[in-house]
């Protein structure tokens, strides 16, 4: 079993040849330190879901989104100016999804949203409070506050 995450696991586009430095910095600073210990503690594979790590603003727009997703790690012009306010997002999955969810609910991520029908958990740092949500197909429903 692979223990430590690599930056490449956070990239959506397999043809991506360059990653903005601020994105790599945020992955190393805000995501890998949270996810590596969880992967070790669970002693079970934990994966970054396909199309769920870093997505460029243009990738988002080309896919019919508005480009403001936390998954862009703040690569719009405005986000670039306010870079420290946008730390990115990641969707993760695991063989032990319930164990992963419990670990993520006590992690440093501000928002954790479980998608039971899709089998993954979204994590990001948006907001001031630590919240837990569930999305069963009709949008995020707040389940409670954490920490």
């Amino acid at each position: 079993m692979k223990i430590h995450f690599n930056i490449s696991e956070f990239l959506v586009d397999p043809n991506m040849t360059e990653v903005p430095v601020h994105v790599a910095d945020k992955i190393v600073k805000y995501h890998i330190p949270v996810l590596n210990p969880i992967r070790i503690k669970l002693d079970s594979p934990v994966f970054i879901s396909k199309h769920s790590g870093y997505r460029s603003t243009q990738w988002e727009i080309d896919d019919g989104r508005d480009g403001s997703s936390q998954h862009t790690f703040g690569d719009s012009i405005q986000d670039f100016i306010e870079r420290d306010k946008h730390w990115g997002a990641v969707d993760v999955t695991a063989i032990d999804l319930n164990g992963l969810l419990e670990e993520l609910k006590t992690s440093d991520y501000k928002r954790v949203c479980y998608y039971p029908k899709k089998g993954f958990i979204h994590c990001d740092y948006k907001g001031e409070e630590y919240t837990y949500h569930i999305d069963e197909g009709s949008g995020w429903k707040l389940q409670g506050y954490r920490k």
Side-chain angles (χ1 to χ4, degrees):
M1 178 184 68
K2 185 175 174 193
I3 295 176
H4 299 288
F5 284 94
N6 295 318
I7 289 175
S8 62
E9 292 177 75
F10 291 82
L11 305 180
V12 170
D13 182 355
N15 299 315
M16 191 178 294
T17 58
E18 297 178 0
V19 179
V21 172
H22 77 279
V23 171
D25 287 347
K26 289 175 186 180
I27 290 169
V28 169
K29 185 174 181 179
Y30 301 115
H31 297 277
I32 290 176
V34 173
L35 295 173
N36 275 342
I38 291 172
R39 187 181 252 182
I40 292 166
K41 184 173 182 180
L42 290 178
D43 193 30
S44 177
V46 174
F47 306 97
I48 307 300
S49 299
K50 187 177 181 184
H51 298 269
S52 72
Y54 167 64
R55 302 189 293 237
S56 70
T57 299
Q58 190 59 51
W59 173 282
E60 288 276 300
I61 291 168
D62 291 347
D63 202 39
R65 298 180 180 100
D66 69 3
S68 66
S69 168
Q70 293 296 303
H71 287 283
T72 66
F73 281 72
D75 64 1
S76 73
I77 297 298
Q78 185 60 34
D79 291 332
F80 187 79
I81 293 166
E82 300 176 359
R83 186 178 294 176
D84 290 334
K85 294 181 180 179
H86 200 121
W87 295 355
V90 66
D91 298 340
V92 291
T93 190
I95 292 171
D96 180 5
L97 198 55
N98 289 328
L100 176 61
L101 178 60
E102 291 310 308
E103 292 297 321
L104 289 169
K105 285 166 58 176
T106 62
S107 74
D108 288 338
Y109 285 113
K110 291 282 183 88
R111 296 190 310 174
V112 173
C113 183
Y114 176 41
Y115 289 78
K117 292 181 180 179
K118 294 183 178 180
F120 73 87
I121 304 161
H122 171 93
C123 308
D124 68 39
Y125 291 96
K126 186 175 181 179
E128 298 300 319
E129 300 180 287
Y130 291 85
T131 58
Y132 166 57
H133 307 259
I134 192 165
D135 187 332
E136 296 184 280
S138 58
W140 287 25
K141 306 285 187 232
L142 180 65
Q143 300 298 299
Y145 296 89
R146 312 177 293 119
K147 288 195 179 185

